[in-house]
Amino acid sequence: MPIRRLALDVDKVVDRPEMISLARAIEEIDGVAAVNITVNEIDIETVGTVITVEGEDIDSQALFVAIERAGAVLHSIDEVVAGERVIESVTRVR
């Protein structure tokens, strides 16, 4: 089953890796068509980011290795979209 989207909680130290370098390292992974890195938290030493990656069949293991090799740390996988098509998030009504 192809992985089409991953949303990741990733931390990095303030000055490395540089955001563009991290995006380029991710973009080079097989199956990645687009990457979005958004800063969601900053403290004295670290920057928390949400990284969203989309593609047709993302090599998730290579992606995780590339993030670590770049000098960042993967904390969690917060969203996985897999299968023949993408299902956008639907708000549940109760």
Side-chain angles (χ1 to χ4, degrees):
M1 179 171 22
I3 303 295
R4 299 188 175 273
R5 179 187 301 145
L6 292 167
L8 311 171
D9 177 9
V10 175
D11 282 354
K12 66 180 212 69
V13 294
V14 171
D15 60 346
R16 64 182 166 74
E18 195 255 340
M19 296 271 283
I20 293 172
S21 298
L22 180 57
R24 285 186 174 142
I26 292 169
E27 193 274 331
E28 291 177 358
I29 300 304
D30 287 342
V32 172
V35 59
N36 181 5
I37 302 175
T38 304
V39 173
N40 66 348
E41 187 176 342
I42 299 174
D43 67 23
I44 294 171
E45 296 180 3
T46 61
V47 175
T49 66
V50 173
I51 298 179
T52 304
V53 180
E54 290 191 342
E56 292 300 314
D57 189 8
I58 300 164
D59 183 343
S60 58
Q61 291 299 14
L63 172 64
F64 304 153
V65 169
I67 289 168
E68 290 182 6
R69 282 190 181 150
V73 177
L74 173 63
H75 281 283
S76 65
I77 301 169
D78 296 338
E79 179 185 34
V80 176
V81 177
E84 292 185 25
R85 62 187 179 88
V86 173
I87 299 172
E88 295 302 332
S89 295
V90 177
T91 304
R92 231 174 112 179
V93 178
R94 290 183 176 214

Coordinates of all heavy atoms in Angstrom, one line a residue:
M1 N 0.8 -1.2 0.0 CA 0.0 0.0 0.0 C 0.9 1.2 0.0 O 1.7 1.4 0.9 CB -0.9 0.0 1.2 CG -1.8 1.1 1.3 SD -3.1 1.1 2.6 CE -2.5 -0.1 3.8
P2 N 0.8 2.1 -1.0 CA 1.6 3.3 -1.1 C 1.3 4.3 0.0 O 0.1 4.6 0.3 CB 1.3 3.9 -2.4 CG 0.0 3.4 -2.8 CD -0.2 2.0 -2.1
I3 N 2.4 4.9 0.6 CA 2.2 6.0 1.6 C 2.2 7.3 0.8 O 3.1 7.6 0.0 CB 3.4 6.0 2.5 CG1 3.6 4.7 3.3 CG2 3.3 7.2 3.5 CD1 2.4 4.3 4.2
R4 N 1.1 8.1 1.0 CA 0.9 9.3 0.2 C 1.2 10.6 1.0 O 1.5 11.6 0.4 CB -0.5 9.3 -0.4 CG -0.7 8.1 -1.3 CD -2.0 8.2 -2.1 NE -2.1 7.1 -3.0 CZ -1.6 7.2 -4.3 NH1 -1.0 8.2 -4.7 NH2 -1.7 6.2 -5.1
R5 N 1.0 10.5 2.3 CA 1.2 11.7 3.1 C 1.7 11.3 4.5 O 1.1 10.3 5.1 CB 0.0 12.6 3.2 CG 0.2 13.8 4.1 CD -1.0 14.6 4.4 NE -1.7 15.1 3.2 CZ -3.0 15.2 3.0 NH1 -3.8 14.9 4.0 NH2 -3.5 15.6 1.9
L6 N 2.7 12.0 5.0 CA 3.1 11.8 6.4 C 3.2 13.2 7.1 O 3.7 14.1 6.5 CB 4.5 11.1 6.5 CG 4.5 9.7 6.1 CD1 6.0 9.3 5.9 CD2 3.8 8.8 7.1
A7 N 2.6 13.3 8.3 CA 2.8 14.5 9.1 C 3.7 14.1 10.3 O 3.3 13.2 11.0 CB 1.5 15.1 9.5
L8 N 4.8 14.8 10.5 CA 5.8 14.4 11.5 C 6.1 15.5 12.4 O 6.2 16.7 12.0 CB 7.1 14.0 10.8 CG 7.0 13.0 9.6 CD1 8.3 12.9 8.9 CD2 6.5 11.7 10.1
D9 N 6.3 15.1 13.7 CA 6.7 16.1 14.7 C 8.2 15.9 14.8 O 8.7 14.9 15.2 CB 6.0 15.7 16.0 CG 6.5 16.6 17.2 OD1 7.2 17.6 17.0 OD2 6.1 16.3 18.4
V10 N 8.9 17.0 14.4 CA 10.4 16.9 14.3 C 11.0 18.1 15.0 O 10.6 19.2 14.9 CB 10.9 16.9 12.8 CG1 12.4 16.9 12.7 CG2 10.3 15.6 12.1
D11 N 12.0 17.8 15.9 CA 12.8 18.9 16.6 C 14.2 19.0 16.0 O 14.7 18.0 15.5 CB 12.9 18.6 18.1 CG 11.6 18.9 18.8 OD1 10.7 19.5 18.2 OD2 11.6 18.6 20.0
K12 N 14.7 20.2 16.0 CA 16.1 20.4 15.6 C 16.7 21.5 16.5 O 15.9 22.2 17.2 CB 16.2 20.9 14.2 CG 15.5 22.2 13.9 CD 15.6 22.6 12.5 CE 15.7 24.1 12.3 NZ 16.9 24.7 12.7
V13 N 18.0 21.6 16.6 CA 18.6 22.7 17.4 C 18.4 23.9 16.6 O 18.2 23.9 15.4 CB 20.1 22.4 17.8 CG1 20.2 21.2 18.7 CG2 20.9 22.2 16.6
V14 N 18.6 25.1 17.3 CA 18.2 26.4 16.6 C 19.0 26.6 15.3 O 18.4 27.0 14.3 CB 18.5 27.5 17.6 CG1 18.3 28.9 17.0 CG2 17.5 27.4 18.8
D15 N 20.3 26.3 15.3 CA 21.1 26.7 14.2 C 21.4 25.6 13.2 O 22.0 25.8 12.1 CB 22.4 27.4 14.6 CG 23.3 26.4 15.5 OD1 22.8 25.4 16.0 OD2 24.4 26.8 15.7
R16 N 21.0 24.4 13.5 CA 21.2 23.3 12.5 C 20.2 22.2 12.7 O 19.8 22.0 13.8 CB 22.7 22.8 12.6 CG 23.0 22.1 13.9 CD 24.5 21.7 13.9 NE 24.8 21.4 15.3 CZ 24.5 20.3 16.0 NH1 23.7 19.4 15.4 NH2 24.8 20.1 17.2
P17 N 19.8 21.5 11.7 CA 20.1 21.8 10.3 C 19.3 23.1 9.9 O 18.3 23.3 10.5 CB 19.7 20.6 9.5 CG 18.6 20.0 10.4 CD 19.0 20.3 11.8
E18 N 19.9 23.8 8.9 CA 19.2 24.9 8.4 C 17.9 24.4 7.7 O 17.9 23.3 7.1 CB 20.1 25.6 7.4 CG 19.7 27.0 7.0 CD 19.1 27.0 5.7 OE1 19.3 26.2 4.8 OE2 18.4 28.0 5.4
M19 N 16.8 25.1 7.8 CA 15.5 24.7 7.3 C 15.5 24.3 5.8 O 14.9 23.3 5.5 CB 14.4 25.7 7.6 CG 14.2 26.0 9.0 SD 13.0 25.0 9.8 CE 11.5 25.8 9.1
I20 N 16.2 25.1 5.0 CA 16.2 24.8 3.6 C 17.0 23.5 3.3 O 16.6 22.7 2.5 CB 16.7 26.0 2.8 CG1 15.7 27.1 2.9 CG2 17.0 25.6 1.3 CD1 16.2 28.4 2.3
S21 N 18.1 23.3 4.0 CA 18.9 22.1 3.9 C 18.1 20.9 4.3 O 18.1 19.8 3.7 CB 20.1 22.1 4.7 OG 21.0 23.2 4.3
L22 N 17.3 21.0 5.4 CA 16.4 19.9 5.8 C 15.4 19.6 4.8 O 15.1 18.4 4.4 CB 15.8 20.2 7.2 CG 14.9 19.2 7.8 CD1 15.6 17.8 8.0 CD2 14.3 19.7 9.1
A23 N 14.8 20.6 4.2 CA 13.8 20.4 3.2 C 14.4 19.7 1.9 O 13.8 18.8 1.4 CB 13.1 21.7 2.8
R24 N 15.5 20.1 1.6 CA 16.2 19.5 0.4 C 16.5 18.1 0.7 O 16.4 17.2 -0.2 CB 17.5 20.3 0.0 CG 17.1 21.6 -0.7 CD 18.3 22.3 -1.2 NE 17.9 23.5 -1.9 CZ 18.5 24.6 -1.9 NH1 19.6 24.8 -1.2 NH2 18.1 25.7 -2.6
A25 N 17.0 17.7 1.9 CA 17.3 16.3 2.2 C 16.1 15.5 2.1 O 16.1 14.3 1.7 CB 17.9 16.3 3.6
I26 N 14.9 16.0 2.6 CA 13.7 15.3 2.5 C 13.2 15.1 1.1 O 12.7 14.1 0.7 CB 12.6 16.0 3.4 CG1 13.0 15.9 4.9 CG2 11.2 15.4 3.1 CD1 12.2 16.7 5.8
E27 N 13.3 16.2 0.3 CA 12.8 16.2 -1.1 C 13.5 15.2 -1.9 O 13.0 14.7 -2.9 CB 12.9 17.6 -1.6 CG 12.2 17.8 -2.9 CD 13.0 17.4 -4.1 OE1 14.3 17.5 -4.1 OE2 12.4 17.0 -5.2
E28 N 14.7 14.8 -1.6 CA 15.5 13.8 -2.4 C 15.1 12.4 -2.2 O 15.5 11.5 -2.9 CB 17.0 14.0 -2.0 CG 17.6 15.3 -2.5 CD 19.1 15.5 -2.1 OE1 19.6 14.6 -1.4 OE2 19.6 16.5 -2.5
I29 N 14.2 12.1 -1.2 CA 13.8 10.8 -0.9 C 12.9 10.3 -2.0 O 12.0 11.0 -2.4 CB 13.1 10.7 0.5 CG1 14.1 11.2 1.6 CG2 12.6 9.3 0.8 CD1 15.4 10.4 1.6
D30 N 13.0 9.0 -2.4 CA 12.2 8.4 -3.4 C 10.7 8.5 -3.0 O 10.3 8.3 -1.8 CB 12.5 6.9 -3.6 CG 13.8 6.7 -4.3 OD1 14.3 7.6 -5.0 OD2 14.3 5.6 -4.2
G31 N 9.9 9.0 -3.9 CA 8.4 9.1 -3.7 C 8.0 10.4 -3.2 O 6.8 10.7 -3.2
V32 N 8.9 11.3 -2.7 CA 8.5 12.6 -2.2 C 8.3 13.5 -3.3 O 9.2 13.8 -4.1 CB 9.6 13.1 -1.2 CG1 9.2 14.5 -0.8 CG2 9.7 12.2 0.0
A33 N 7.1 14.1 -3.4 CA 6.8 15.1 -4.4 C 6.8 16.5 -3.8 O 7.0 17.5 -4.5 CB 5.4 14.8 -5.0
A34 N 6.5 16.6 -2.5 CA 6.4 18.0 -1.9 C 6.7 17.8 -0.4 O 6.4 16.8 0.2 CB 5.0 18.6 -2.1
V35 N 7.3 18.9 0.2 CA 7.5 18.9 1.6 C 7.2 20.3 2.2 O 7.4 21.3 1.5 CB 9.0 18.6 1.9 CG1 10.0 19.5 1.3 CG2 9.3 18.5 3.4
N36 N 6.6 20.3 3.3 CA 6.2 21.6 4.0 C 6.8 21.5 5.4 O 6.4 20.6 6.2 CB 4.7 21.8 4.0 CG 4.3 23.0 4.7 OD1 5.1 23.9 5.1 ND2 3.0 23.2 4.8
I37 N 7.6 22.5 5.8 CA 8.1 22.5 7.2 C 7.6 23.8 7.9 O 7.8 24.9 7.4 CB 9.7 22.5 7.2 CG1 10.2 21.3 6.5 CG2 10.2 22.6 8.7 CD1 11.7 21.3 6.4
T38 N 6.9 23.6 9.0 CA 6.3 24.7 9.7 C 6.8 24.7 11.1 O 6.7 23.7 11.8 CB 4.8 24.6 9.7 OG1 4.3 24.5 8.4 CG2 4.1 25.7 10.5
V39 N 7.4 25.8 11.6 CA 7.8 26.0 12.9 C 6.6 26.1 13.8 O 5.7 27.0 13.6 CB 8.8 27.2 13.1 CG1 9.1 27.4 14.6 CG2 10.0 26.9 12.3
N40 N 6.5 25.3 14.9 CA 5.4 25.5 15.8 C 5.8 25.7 17.2 O 4.9 26.0 18.1 CB 4.5 24.2 15.7 CG 5.1 23.0 16.3 OD1 6.3 22.9 16.5 ND2 4.3 21.9 16.5
E41 N 7.1 25.7 17.5 CA 7.6 26.0 18.9 C 9.1 26.3 18.8 O 9.8 25.7 18.1 CB 7.4 24.8 19.7 CG 7.6 25.0 21.2 CD 7.3 23.7 22.0 OE1 6.6 22.9 21.5 OE2 7.8 23.7 23.1
I42 N 9.5 27.3 19.6 CA 10.9 27.7 19.7 C 11.2 27.9 21.1 O 10.5 28.6 21.8 CB 11.2 29.0 18.9 CG1 10.9 28.9 17.4 CG2 12.6 29.4 19.1 CD1 11.0 30.1 16.6
D43 N 12.3 27.4 21.6 CA 12.8 27.7 22.9 C 14.3 28.1 22.8 O 14.8 28.3 21.6 CB 12.6 26.6 23.9 CG 13.3 25.3 23.7 OD1 14.4 25.3 23.0 OD2 12.9 24.3 24.2
I44 N 15.0 28.1 23.8 CA 16.4 28.6 23.8 C 17.3 27.7 22.9 O 18.1 28.3 22.2 CB 17.0 28.7 25.2 CG1 16.2 29.8 26.0 CG2 18.5 29.0 25.2 CD1 16.6 29.8 27.5
E45 N 17.1 26.4 23.0 CA 18.0 25.5 22.3 C 17.4 24.8 21.1 O 18.1 24.4 20.2 CB 18.6 24.5 23.2 CG 19.5 25.1 24.3 CD 20.0 24.1 25.3 OE1 19.8 22.9 25.0 OE2 20.7 24.5 26.2
T46 N 16.1 24.6 21.1 CA 15.5 23.8 20.0 C 14.4 24.5 19.3 O 13.8 25.5 19.8 CB 15.0 22.5 20.6 OG1 14.0 22.8 21.5 CG2 16.1 21.7 21.2
V47 N 14.1 24.0 18.1 CA 13.0 24.5 17.3 C 12.1 23.3 17.0 O 12.6 22.2 16.5 CB 13.5 25.1 16.0 CG1 12.3 25.5 15.1 CG2 14.4 26.3 16.2
G48 N 10.8 23.3 17.4 CA 9.9 22.3 17.1 C 9.2 22.6 15.7 O 8.8 23.7 15.5
T49 N 9.1 21.5 14.9 CA 8.5 21.7 13.6 C 7.5 20.6 13.3 O 7.5 19.5 13.9 CB 9.5 21.7 12.5 OG1 10.1 20.4 12.4 CG2 10.6 22.7 12.6
V50 N 6.6 20.9 12.4 CA 5.7 19.9 11.8 C 6.1 19.8 10.4 O 6.1 20.8 9.7 CB 4.2 20.4 12.0 CG1 3.3 19.4 11.2 CG2 3.8 20.5 13.4
I51 N 6.5 18.6 10.0 CA 6.9 18.4 8.6 C 5.8 17.5 7.9 O 5.5 16.4 8.4 CB 8.2 17.7 8.6 CG1 9.3 18.6 9.2 CG2 8.6 17.3 7.1 CD1 10.7 18.0 9.2
T52 N 5.3 18.1 6.8 CA 4.3 17.3 6.1 C 4.9 17.0 4.7 O 5.5 17.8 4.1 CB 3.0 18.2 5.8 OG1 2.5 18.5 7.1 CG2 2.0 17.4 5.0
V53 N 4.9 15.7 4.4 CA 5.5 15.2 3.2 C 4.4 14.5 2.3 O 3.6 13.7 2.9 CB 6.6 14.2 3.5 CG1 7.3 13.6 2.2 CG2 7.7 14.8 4.4
E54 N 4.3 14.8 1.0 CA 3.4 14.2 0.2 C 4.1 13.6 -1.1 O 5.1 14.1 -1.5 CB 2.3 15.2 -0.3 CG 1.4 15.6 0.8 CD 0.1 16.3 0.3 OE1 0.2 16.8 -0.8 OE2 -0.8 16.4 1.1
G55 N 3.5 12.6 -1.6 CA 4.0 11.9 -2.8 C 3.1 10.7 -3.2 O 2.1 10.5 -2.6
E56 N 3.6 10.0 -4.2 CA 2.8 8.8 -4.7 C 3.1 7.6 -3.9 O 2.3 6.7 -3.7 CB 3.1 8.6 -6.2 CG 2.5 9.8 -7.0 CD 1.0 9.9 -6.9 OE1 0.3 8.9 -6.9 OE2 0.5 11.0 -6.7
D57 N 4.4 7.4 -3.5 CA 4.8 6.2 -2.7 C 6.0 6.5 -2.0 O 7.2 6.2 -2.4 CB 5.0 5.0 -3.7 CG 5.2 3.7 -3.0 OD1 5.0 3.7 -1.7 OD2 5.5 2.7 -3.6
I58 N 5.9 7.2 -0.8 CA 7.0 7.7 0.0 C 7.8 6.6 0.6 O 7.1 5.7 1.3 CB 6.5 8.7 1.0 CG1 5.8 9.9 0.3 CG2 7.7 9.2 1.9 CD1 5.0 10.7 1.3
D59 N 9.1 6.6 0.5 CA 9.9 5.6 1.2 C 10.1 6.1 2.6 O 11.0 6.9 2.9 CB 11.3 5.5 0.4 CG 12.2 4.4 1.1 OD1 12.0 4.0 2.2 OD2 13.2 4.0 0.4
S60 N 9.2 5.7 3.5 CA 9.2 6.2 4.8 C 10.5 5.9 5.6 O 11.0 6.8 6.4 CB 8.0 5.7 5.6 OG 7.9 4.3 5.7
Q61 N 11.0 4.8 5.5 CA 12.2 4.5 6.2 C 13.4 5.3 5.8 O 14.2 5.8 6.6 CB 12.6 3.0 6.1 CG 11.6 2.1 6.8 CD 11.6 2.3 8.3 OE1 12.0 3.3 8.9 NE2 10.9 1.4 9.1
A62 N 13.5 5.5 4.5 CA 14.6 6.4 4.0 C 14.3 7.9 4.4 O 15.3 8.6 4.7 CB 14.6 6.4 2.4
L63 N 13.1 8.2 4.5 CA 12.7 9.6 5.0 C 13.2 9.8 6.4 O 13.8 10.8 6.8 CB 11.2 9.8 4.9 CG 10.7 11.1 5.5 CD1 11.2 12.3 4.8 CD2 9.1 11.0 5.5
F64 N 12.9 8.8 7.3 CA 13.3 8.9 8.7 C 14.8 9.0 8.9 O 15.3 9.8 9.7 CB 12.7 7.8 9.5 CG 11.2 7.6 9.4 CD1 10.6 6.4 9.6 CD2 10.4 8.7 9.1 CE1 9.2 6.2 9.5 CE2 9.0 8.6 9.0 CZ 8.4 7.3 9.2
V65 N 15.5 8.2 8.1 CA 17.0 8.2 8.1 C 17.5 9.6 7.6 O 18.4 10.1 8.2 CB 17.6 7.1 7.3 CG1 19.1 7.2 7.1 CG2 17.3 5.7 7.9
A66 N 16.9 10.1 6.6 CA 17.4 11.4 6.0 C 17.2 12.5 7.1 O 18.0 13.4 7.2 CB 16.6 11.8 4.8
I67 N 16.1 12.5 7.8 CA 15.8 13.5 8.8 C 16.9 13.4 9.9 O 17.5 14.4 10.3 CB 14.4 13.3 9.4 CG1 13.4 13.8 8.4 CG2 14.3 14.1 10.7 CD1 12.0 13.4 8.7
E68 N 17.2 12.2 10.4 CA 18.2 12.0 11.4 C 19.6 12.4 10.9 O 20.4 13.0 11.6 CB 18.2 10.6 11.9 CG 16.9 10.4 12.8 CD 16.9 9.0 13.4 OE1 17.9 8.2 13.2 OE2 15.8 8.7 13.9
R69 N 20.0 12.0 9.7 CA 21.3 12.4 9.1 C 21.5 13.9 8.9 O 22.6 14.4 9.0 CB 21.5 11.7 7.8 CG 21.8 10.2 7.9 CD 22.3 9.7 6.6 NE 22.6 8.3 6.7 CZ 22.4 7.3 5.8 NH1 22.0 7.7 4.6 NH2 22.7 6.1 6.1
A70 N 20.4 14.6 8.7 CA 20.4 16.0 8.6 C 20.7 16.7 9.9 O 21.0 17.8 10.0 CB 19.1 16.6 8.0
G71 N 20.4 15.9 11.0 CA 20.7 16.5 12.4 C 19.4 16.8 13.1 O 19.5 17.5 14.2
A72 N 18.3 16.4 12.7 CA 17.0 16.6 13.4 C 16.6 15.3 14.0 O 17.1 14.2 13.8 CB 16.0 17.1 12.4
V73 N 15.5 15.4 14.9 CA 15.1 14.3 15.6 C 13.6 14.1 15.4 O 12.8 15.0 15.6 CB 15.3 14.5 17.2 CG1 14.7 13.3 17.9 CG2 16.8 14.6 17.4
L74 N 13.2 12.9 14.9 CA 11.8 12.6 14.7 C 11.2 12.2 16.1 O 11.6 11.2 16.7 CB 11.6 11.4 13.8 CG 10.2 10.8 13.5 CD1 9.3 11.9 13.0 CD2 10.3 9.6 12.7
H75 N 10.1 12.9 16.5 CA 9.5 12.6 17.8 C 8.2 11.7 17.6 O 8.0 10.8 18.4 CB 9.0 13.9 18.5 CG 10.2 14.5 19.3 ND1 10.7 14.1 20.4 CD2 10.9 15.6 18.9 CE1 11.7 14.8 20.8 NE2 11.9 15.8 19.9
S76 N 7.5 12.0 16.6 CA 6.3 11.2 16.4 C 5.8 11.3 14.9 O 6.1 12.3 14.2 CB 5.2 11.6 17.3 OG 4.7 12.9 17.1
I77 N 5.0 10.3 14.5 CA 4.3 10.3 13.3 C 2.9 10.7 13.6 O 2.2 9.9 14.3 CB 4.4 9.0 12.6 CG1 5.8 8.6 12.3 CG2 3.6 9.0 11.3 CD1 6.0 7.1 11.9
D78 N 2.4 11.9 13.2 CA 1.1 12.4 13.6 C 0.0 12.1 12.6 O -1.2 12.2 13.0 CB 1.2 13.8 13.9 CG 2.1 14.1 15.1 OD1 2.3 13.2 15.9 OD2 2.6 15.2 15.3
E79 N 0.4 11.8 11.4 CA -0.6 11.5 10.4 C 0.0 10.6 9.3 O 1.1 10.8 8.9 CB -1.2 12.7 9.7 CG -2.2 12.5 8.6 CD -2.7 13.7 7.9 OE1 -1.9 14.6 7.6 OE2 -3.9 13.7 7.5
V80 N -0.8 9.6 8.9 CA -0.4 8.7 7.8 C -1.6 8.6 6.8 O -2.7 8.3 7.3 CB 0.0 7.3 8.2 CG1 0.3 6.4 7.0 CG2 1.2 7.3 9.2
V81 N -1.3 8.9 5.5 CA -2.3 8.7 4.5 C -1.8 7.7 3.6 O -0.7 7.9 3.0 CB -2.7 10.0 3.8 CG1 -3.7 9.8 2.7 CG2 -3.2 11.1 4.7
A82 N -2.5 6.6 3.4 CA -2.0 5.5 2.5 C -3.1 5.0 1.7 O -4.3 5.1 2.0 CB -1.4 4.4 3.4
G83 N -2.8 4.3 0.6 CA -3.8 3.7 -0.3 C -3.8 4.3 -1.7 O -2.9 5.0 -2.1
E84 N -4.8 4.0 -2.4 CA -4.9 4.4 -3.8 C -5.2 5.9 -4.0 O -5.0 6.4 -5.0 CB -6.0 3.6 -4.5 CG -5.6 2.1 -4.6 CD -6.6 1.3 -5.4 OE1 -7.4 2.0 -6.3 OE2 -6.7 0.1 -5.3
R85 N -5.8 6.5 -2.9 CA -6.1 7.9 -3.0 C -6.0 8.6 -1.7 O -5.8 7.9 -0.6 CB -7.5 8.1 -3.6 CG -8.6 7.6 -2.7 CD -10.0 7.7 -3.4 NE -11.0 7.1 -2.6 CZ -11.7 7.8 -1.6 NH1 -11.4 9.0 -1.4 NH2 -12.6 7.2 -0.9
V86 N -6.0 9.9 -1.6 CA -5.9 10.6 -0.4 C -7.3 11.0 0.1 O -8.1 11.5 -0.6 CB -5.1 12.0 -0.7 CG1 -5.1 12.8 0.6 CG2 -3.7 11.6 -1.1
I87 N -7.5 10.7 1.4 CA -8.7 11.1 2.1 C -8.4 12.3 2.9 O -7.5 12.2 3.8 CB -9.2 10.0 3.0 CG1 -9.5 8.7 2.2 CG2 -10.5 10.5 3.8 CD1 -9.9 7.5 3.1
E88 N -9.0 13.4 2.6 CA -8.7 14.6 3.4 C -9.4 14.5 4.8 O -10.4 13.8 4.9 CB -9.2 15.9 2.7 CG -8.5 16.2 1.4 CD -7.0 16.4 1.6 OE1 -6.5 16.8 2.6 OE2 -6.3 16.1 0.6
S89 N -8.9 15.2 5.8 CA -9.5 15.1 7.1 C -10.9 15.6 7.1 O -11.2 16.6 6.5 CB -8.7 16.0 8.1 OG -7.4 15.5 8.2
V90 N -11.7 14.8 7.8 CA -13.1 15.2 7.9 C -13.5 15.4 9.3 O -13.1 14.6 10.2 CB -14.0 14.0 7.3 CG1 -15.5 14.3 7.5 CG2 -13.7 13.7 5.9
T91 N -14.1 16.5 9.6 CA -14.4 16.9 11.0 C -15.6 16.0 11.4 O -16.6 16.0 10.7 CB -14.8 18.4 11.1 OG1 -13.7 19.1 10.7 CG2 -15.1 18.7 12.6
R92 N -15.4 15.4 12.5 CA -16.5 14.5 13.0 C -17.5 15.3 13.8 O -17.1 16.1 14.7 CB -15.9 13.5 14.0 CG -16.3 12.1 13.7 CD -15.5 11.2 14.6 NE -16.4 10.6 15.5 CZ -16.1 9.7 16.4 NH1 -14.9 9.3 16.6 NH2 -17.1 9.2 17.2
V93 N -18.7 15.1 13.6 CA -19.8 15.8 14.3 C -20.5 14.8 15.2 O -20.8 13.7 14.8 CB -20.8 16.4 13.3 CG1 -22.0 17.1 14.1 CG2 -20.2 17.3 12.3
R94 N -20.6 15.3 16.5 CA -21.3 14.4 17.4 C -22.6 15.0 17.9 O -22.8 16.1 18.1 CB -20.4 14.1 18.6 CG -19.2 13.3 18.2 CD -18.4 13.1 19.5 NE -17.3 12.2 19.1 CZ -16.8 11.3 19.9 NH1 -17.2 11.1 21.1 NH2 -15.8 10.5 19.5

